């Protein structure tokens, strides 16, 4: 079966009768379309007559909003499919409705195939309908020159349609703040300007519902606040959030696709109120069940500052039917970030200078991250683990390769203000040595210039030992892996992350340090974000041990698939 990069699905059946058929239609589309599926709503359109079908305005009712929500909810089963419901021909109740565009609409991905739920009388896909469909699609949107068409409908017999009552409303998913009961056929009011906000990380179907409702309500301008900086600190796995600019790019592309007639003002959201709390020209705010209280707080803030309240539209959360342990039961970016743990985030390094028989992983993480426990789990799966701390002890030991250079560089001083770096038995007092270099960049560089190359040499000797034992995967467990530049002797960097607050708690509990001392230790290291930015795989020990084990096993299994196969 042909696979297309993007497609256009034209839905012509009345919405009420189409609702139970969404799943099979989307499943058929998922088999045909590889990336983006644009959905064009035109209920009641006939493709069987000789006249060229024309776009007509679809009145935005709560039934239409509910239908769009249910369509995105159904599409979440096929997450590889980027579904976008086009809103150009959907208008809210307003005296200032814009006219339908007279020219074709450019889409981010010109469709290569057009699909429809239209069913021919004899059950066949005869040419007149396909030609009508192609002409209609190309009159509305920019499409590839050789546009193909496929007629989709569930597997009924020829001429057989499902018996569904057209009067059964879709379950309600959108609730205005007004206590007045709403009916499915009730027209949705249009506003000049409104707002919606969120993190919009890895734009998903729940985001698309929020944005679509906001786009239908807004007739002139939509202000979109995108959370940044301090508002991201409380997010789960913030190191895996897409950068602000990347989130804005994806958001902008989606918004311009679904409703190009609107003006979009996408701005960083730096406090809980944002422009919704201060812009007097805004008239409505779209929120989710989770952020409804925040919307109420915005209105209280506006009243305190002599501004009119915003009309609030609350959207139900989309349920995630495939959520796993420790994931939220709603469609959520945080769940998507959790699913990234253990997966390959960027291509491995090519290291032709390393032995072909051995694949080397550099394992790192901030102090208290649980890096050593992950190393032991990898050892249990068959990896040869090199502990850089143990190599450091060997390097500093009397007769070790770093012992004499360190003693010569830092000397033996016999005074109370600057004690000797050697114990009475000649062993280097690493605590005293650390106090000499801590906070002194010049002294620290002298020490690391001596010690890091020595540890790297010892690590290479250990790699040779790993090969001698017939191991195929070697893990270099090193907190200072990236600072030392040891990524040049590994194929992949794996980083273990946890929130800084949890790291401080663990350091205090493990090492008996004060909170200030624990914070100081973390500040002397690269941050979790800096480590992740240079990593291929990310893991986290934030949850129960069996969850960490599951992540490690997942990462190990994926590693086996991408490792070069031994001859």
């Amino acid at each position: 079966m042909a696979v297309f990069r993007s497609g256009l699905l034209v839905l012509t059946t009345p919405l009420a009768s189409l609702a139970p058929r969404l799943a099979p239609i989307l499943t058929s589309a998922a088999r045909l379309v590889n990336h983006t599926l644009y959905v064009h709503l035109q209920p009641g359109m006939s493709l069987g007559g000789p006249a060229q079908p024309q776009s007509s305005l679809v009145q935005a009712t709560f039934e239409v909003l509910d239908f769009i929500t249910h369509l995105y909810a159904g599409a979440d089963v096929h997450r590889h499919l980027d579904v976008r419901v086009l809103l150009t021909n959907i208008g809210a109740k307003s005296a200032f409705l814009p006219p339908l565009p007279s020219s074709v609409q450019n889409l981010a991905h010109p469709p290569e195939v057009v699909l429809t739920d239209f069913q021919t009388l004899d059950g066949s896909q005869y040419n007149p309908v396909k030609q009508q469909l192609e002409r209609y699609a190309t009159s509305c949107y920019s499409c590839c020159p050789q546009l193909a068409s496929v007629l989709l409908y569930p597997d009924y017999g020829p001429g057989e349609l499902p018996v569904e009552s057209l009067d059964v409303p879709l379950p309600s998913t959108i609730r205005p703040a007004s206590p007045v009961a709403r009916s499915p056929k009730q027209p949705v009011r249009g506003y000049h300007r409104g707002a919606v906000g969120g993190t919009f990380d890895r734009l998903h179907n729940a985001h698309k519902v929020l944005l679509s409702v906001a786009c239908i309500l807004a007739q002139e301008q939509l202000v979109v606040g995108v959370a940044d900086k301090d508002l991201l600190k409380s997010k789960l796995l913030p190191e895996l959030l897409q950068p602000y600019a990347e989130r804005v790019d994806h958001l902008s592309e989606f918004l311009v696709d679904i409703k190009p007639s609107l003006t979009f003002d996408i701005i960083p959201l730096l406090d809980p109120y944002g422009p919704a709390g201060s812009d007097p020209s805004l008239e409505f705010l779209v929120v989710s069940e989770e952020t409804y209280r925040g919307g109420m707080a915005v209105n209280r803030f506006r009243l305190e500052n002599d501004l009119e309240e915003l009309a609030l539209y609350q959207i139900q959360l989309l349920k995630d039917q495939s959520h796993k342990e420790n994931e939220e039961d709603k469609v959520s970016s945080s769940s998507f970030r959790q699913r990234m743990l253990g997966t390959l985030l960027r291509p491995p390094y090519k290291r032709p200078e390393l032995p072909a028989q051995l694949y080397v992983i550099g394992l790192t993480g901030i102090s208290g991250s649980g890096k050593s426990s992950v190393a032991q789990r990898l050892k249990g799966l068959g990896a040869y683990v090199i502990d850089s701390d143990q190599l450091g002890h060997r390097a500093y030991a009397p007769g070790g390769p770093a012992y004499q250079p360190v003693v010569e560089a830092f000397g033996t001083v016999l005074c109370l203000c600057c004690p000797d770096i050697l114990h009475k038995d000649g062993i280097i007092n690493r605590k005293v040595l650390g106090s000499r270099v801590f906070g002194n960049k010049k002294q620290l560089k002298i020490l690391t210039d001596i010690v890091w190359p020595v540890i790297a040499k010892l690590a290479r000797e250990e790699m040779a030992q790993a090969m001698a034992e017939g191991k195929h995967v070697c893990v270099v467990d090193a907190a200072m892996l990236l600072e030392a530049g040891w990524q040049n002797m590994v194929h992949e960097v794996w980083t273990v992350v946890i929130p800084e607050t949890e790291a401080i708690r663990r350091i205090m509990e493990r090492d008996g340090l004060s909170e200030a001392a624990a914070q100081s230790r973390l500040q002397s290291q690269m941050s979790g974000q800096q480590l992740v930015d240079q990593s291929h795989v990310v893991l986290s020990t934030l949850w129960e041990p069996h969850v960490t084990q599951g992540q490690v096993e997942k990462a190990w299994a994926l590693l086996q698939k991408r490792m070069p196969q031994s001859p």
Side-chain angles (χ1 to χ4, degrees):
M1 181 176 289
V3 177
F4 302 90
R5 172 164 171 76
S6 59
L8 178 67
L9 177 59
V10 183
L11 298 180
T12 61
T13 307
L15 299 182
S17 65
L18 183 58
R21 299 165 58 189
L22 279 177
I25 288 175
L26 285 168
T27 299
S28 298
R31 289 198 298 264
L32 285 166
V33 183
N34 190 33
H35 183 63
T36 303
L37 178 68
Y38 295 106
V39 180
H40 172 91
L41 296 179
Q42 197 61 269
M45 174 178 284
S46 172
L47 294 172
Q52 169 68 30
Q54 299 295 318
S55 285
S56 59
L57 189 67
V58 177
Q59 175 68 61
T61 62
F62 283 100
E63 178 188 37
V64 171
L65 298 188
D66 289 336
F67 175 79
I68 291 172
T69 302
H70 285 287
L71 196 150
Y72 278 124
D76 204 60
V77 177
H78 309 287
R79 286 185 180 146
H80 66 285
L81 202 59
D82 178 10
V83 175
R84 305 180 183 191
V85 181
L86 302 170
L87 308 175
T88 303
N89 66 323
I90 300 175
K93 183 180 181 181
S94 173
F96 44 91
L97 281 176
L100 286 171
S102 56
S103 58
V104 297
Q105 178 180 333
N106 291 315
L107 299 171
H109 308 287
E112 298 177 13
V113 58
V114 58
L115 318 159
T116 186
D117 70 311
F118 182 89
Q119 186 180 34
T120 60
L121 295 177
D122 60 359
S124 66
Q125 299 181 12
Y126 60 91
N127 286 335
V129 169
K130 296 180 75 172
Q131 291 170 0
Q132 286 270 57
L133 188 58
E134 291 165 12
R135 286 201 300 270
Y136 176 69
T138 53
S139 70
C140 296
Y141 305 103
S142 58
C143 301
C144 292
Q146 301 300 318
L147 184 69
S149 64
V150 178
L151 303 182
L152 290 179
Y153 42 83
D155 299 326
Y156 333 120
E160 181 183 339
L161 288 169
V163 179
E164 297 288 346
S165 170
L166 300 184
D167 297 325
V168 177
L170 290 165
S172 174
T173 58
I174 290 94
R175 183 171 63 183
S178 168
V180 178
R182 45 150 283 198
S183 67
K185 303 297 183 183
Q186 179 183 338
V188 175
R189 178 187 167 183
Y191 301 84
H192 289 279
R193 299 181 76 242
V196 65
T199 307
F200 300 113
D201 180 46
R202 291 172 176 81
L203 198 67
H204 53 64
N205 289 312
H207 292 145
K208 293 175 182 180
V209 173
L210 278 177
L211 295 167
S212 297
V213 172
C215 283
I216 288 175
L217 296 173
Q219 304 303 301
E220 294 179 2
Q221 186 178 36
L222 181 65
V223 178
V224 185
V226 180
D228 197 20
K229 297 184 179 177
D230 286 350
L231 292 187
L232 302 179
K233 290 182 178 179
S234 62
K235 299 294 180 184
L236 182 69
L237 300 171
E239 300 90 350
L240 292 175
L241 279 163
Q242 291 175 312
Y244 175 82
E246 190 174 334
R247 286 181 281 139
V248 168
D249 284 346
H250 293 162
L251 186 61
S252 179
E253 179 190 287
F254 175 78
L255 291 170
V256 172
D257 256 357
I258 66 169
K259 196 168 181 181
S261 61
L262 275 184
T263 299
F264 298 105
D265 188 10
I266 303 177
I267 61 173
L269 198 57
L270 305 176
D271 64 78
Y273 297 113
S278 58
D279 189 339
S281 67
L282 295 178
E283 299 168 280
F284 73 86
L285 178 65
V286 176
V287 296
S288 70
E289 287 179 83
E290 274 189 334
T291 58
Y292 181 72
R293 287 185 178 180
M296 297 290 285
V298 165
N299 271 339
R300 287 195 298 272
F301 185 78
R302 287 177 69 91
L303 290 174
E304 290 169 2
N305 289 276
D306 299 321
L307 296 176
E308 290 187 10
E309 288 185 296
L310 301 175
L312 295 182
Y313 286 81
Q314 178 185 336
I315 313 298
Q316 282 187 3
L317 299 172
L318 293 194
K319 296 298 181 184
D320 186 347
Q321 303 301 328
S322 59
H323 74 278
K324 299 176 183 176
E325 183 182 10
N326 291 304
E327 294 180 353
E328 297 179 294
D329 62 357
K330 62 169 186 171
V331 176
S332 159
S333 297
S334 62
S335 294
F336 293 172
R337 292 194 294 278
Q338 282 180 259
R339 291 165 197 168
M340 293 171 64
L341 296 173
T343 66
L344 188 67
L345 303 181
R346 49 183 58 88
Y349 297 130
K350 293 181 179 179
R351 298 291 189 218
E353 70 276 16
L354 295 181
Q357 309 94 310
L358 193 66
Y359 201 83
V360 186
I361 303 297
L363 181 65
T364 190
I366 64 173
S367 183
S369 64
K371 170 180 57 65
S372 297
S373 70
V374 169
Q376 291 307 303
R377 294 177 190 280
L378 288 167
K379 183 177 181 179
L381 293 172
Y384 185 97
V385 175
I386 300 173
D387 186 335
S388 63
D389 279 345
Q390 291 182 5
L391 297 184
H393 285 293
R394 283 171 51 188
Y396 281 110
Y403 180 83
Q404 196 59 36
V406 168
V407 171
E408 290 175 359
F410 293 92
T412 56
V413 182
L414 302 176
C415 65
L416 294 176
C417 63
C418 194
D420 194 344
I421 67 164
L422 296 178
H423 288 291
K424 291 180 180 180
D425 58 3
I427 295 174
I428 291 175
N429 186 331
R430 294 181 69 176
K431 186 174 182 180
V432 171
L433 180 60
S435 68
R436 294 268 191 96
V437 302
F438 183 75
N440 187 324
K441 291 184 179 180
K442 183 178 179 181
Q443 292 294 304
L444 180 61
K445 187 174 188 308
I446 291 173
L447 180 62
T448 56
D449 283 350
I450 295 171
V451 176
W452 283 350
V454 169
I455 295 177
K457 183 174 183 295
L458 292 174
R460 290 189 178 93
E461 292 174 1
E462 287 287 311
M463 291 178 196
Q465 179 62 32
M467 285 188 292
E469 294 181 13
K471 297 290 187 179
H472 299 292
V473 178
C474 178
V475 174
V476 179
D477 176 0
M480 305 301 285
L481 182 90
L482 298 179
E483 290 93 331
W486 294 339
Q487 65 267 41
N488 63 5
M489 61 180 186
V490 304
H491 294 94
E492 297 178 16
V493 175
W494 290 19
T495 292
V496 184
V497 297
I498 56 167
E500 187 174 301
T501 52
E502 174 64 12
I504 290 171
R505 186 194 68 78
R506 292 184 185 182
I507 294 169
M508 292 169 62
E509 185 178 288
R510 182 190 66 193
D511 300 335
L513 297 180
S514 67
E515 183 175 348
Q519 286 178 331
S520 179
R521 179 178 295 184
L522 290 181
Q523 288 168 2
S524 68
Q525 304 173 356
M526 291 178 71
S527 69
Q529 185 66 64
Q530 290 172 313
L531 296 175
V532 167
D533 288 344
Q534 300 182 60
S535 298
H536 301 86
V537 173
V538 175
L539 301 161
S540 180
T541 61
L542 183 58
W543 299 278
E544 294 82 359
H546 73 275
V547 177
T548 302
Q549 181 67 24
Q551 289 177 32
V552 173
E553 290 176 358
K554 172 184 174 183
W556 181 262
L558 293 173
L559 173 66
Q560 305 309 305
K561 292 180 180 179
R562 64 178 176 269
M563 275 173 49
Q565 298 301 310
S566 301

